[in-house]
């Protein structure tokens, strides 16, 4: 593969990863705040689908393309900005994996509420709080990653 193609793939996949994450989080949060089980079930289903199709594939591509590019450029993995990129990526993924499980559970809880004709139960709101608490550090980790990827500061 050519360096230019892998670099393009790395940039595009990082954009899709971050954009899908921010977009789906925005829609799930605001749908949840409406507290309408049918709306939440629909949006949560789409968020789970988007995370499966877009986020999961780009989450795999990012380290593969990034490590390949670093190797081609001759950058040691212990180099300051690159080391911190790997640490931040690991942090973001450590937050994201439980978020996926929470989103599936939130979707299922909302679907059950629709079928029962009841409001969203307290378990849904507990999961939403945990989901939010995990999403905030992941968001800031990705912002920092974008900075490091673009600036490559010499520390």
């Amino acid at each position: 593969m050519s360096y230019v193609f892998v670099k393009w793939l790395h940039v595009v996949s990082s954009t899709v990863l971050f954009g899908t994450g921010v977009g789906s989080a925005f829609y799930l949060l605001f749908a949840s705040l409406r507290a309408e089980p049918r709306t939440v079930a629909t949006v949560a289903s789409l968020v789970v689908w988007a995370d499966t199709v877009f986020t999961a594939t780009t989450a795999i591509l990012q380290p593969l393309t990034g490590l390949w590019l670093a190797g081609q450029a001759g950058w040691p993995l212990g180099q300051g900005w690159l080391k911190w990129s790997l640490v931040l990526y690991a942090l973001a993924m450590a937050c994201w994996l439980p978020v996926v499980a929470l989103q599936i559970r939130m979707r299922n809880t909302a679907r059950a509420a629709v079928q029962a004709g009841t409001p969203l139960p307290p378990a849904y709101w507990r999961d939403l709080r945990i989901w939010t608490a995990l999403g905030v550090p992941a968001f800031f980790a990705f912002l920092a990653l974008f900075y490091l990827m673009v600036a490559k500061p010499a520390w």
Side-chain angles (χ1 to χ4, degrees):
M1 275 192 274
S2 78
Y3 181 84
V4 172
F5 174 74
V6 175
K7 189 171 186 177
W8 173 83
L9 185 60
H10 188 69
V11 170
V12 170
S13 67
S14 69
T15 304
V16 171
L17 176 63
F18 186 69
T20 302
V22 169
S24 62
F26 174 86
Y27 288 113
L28 185 56
L29 177 62
F30 283 93
S32 295
L33 294 177
R34 292 193 59 151
E36 297 170 355
R38 187 169 307 284
T39 300
V40 172
T42 300
V43 172
S45 294
L46 292 170
V47 166
V48 168
W49 184 85
D51 264 357
T52 301
V53 173
F54 299 113
T55 309
T57 55
T58 56
I60 293 166
L61 279 174
Q62 277 298 283
L64 296 176
T65 56
L67 291 171
W68 189 87
L69 289 168
Q72 292 296 307
W75 294 325
L77 296 182
Q79 186 171 338
W81 72 270
L82 191 50
K83 178 178 69 175
W84 279 106
S85 293
L86 294 169
V87 168
L88 288 168
Y89 190 79
L91 169 68
M93 288 300 104
C95 292
W96 179 70
L97 289 172
V99 160
V100 173
L102 285 165
Q103 288 171 171
I104 292 168
R105 194 161 65 203
M106 292 161 66
R107 177 201 62 196
N108 295 345
T109 302
R111 284 177 175 172
V114 169
Q115 289 177 342
T118 61
L120 295 168
Y124 181 86
W125 302 107
R126 182 198 68 234
D127 288 346
L128 182 65
R129 283 190 299 278
I130 297 167
W131 177 83
T132 303
L134 289 168
V136 169
F139 173 78
F140 285 108
F142 277 120
L143 283 180
L145 275 165
F146 266 99
Y147 169 76
L148 292 173
M149 188 170 73
V150 172
K152 296 175 188 61
W155 292 331

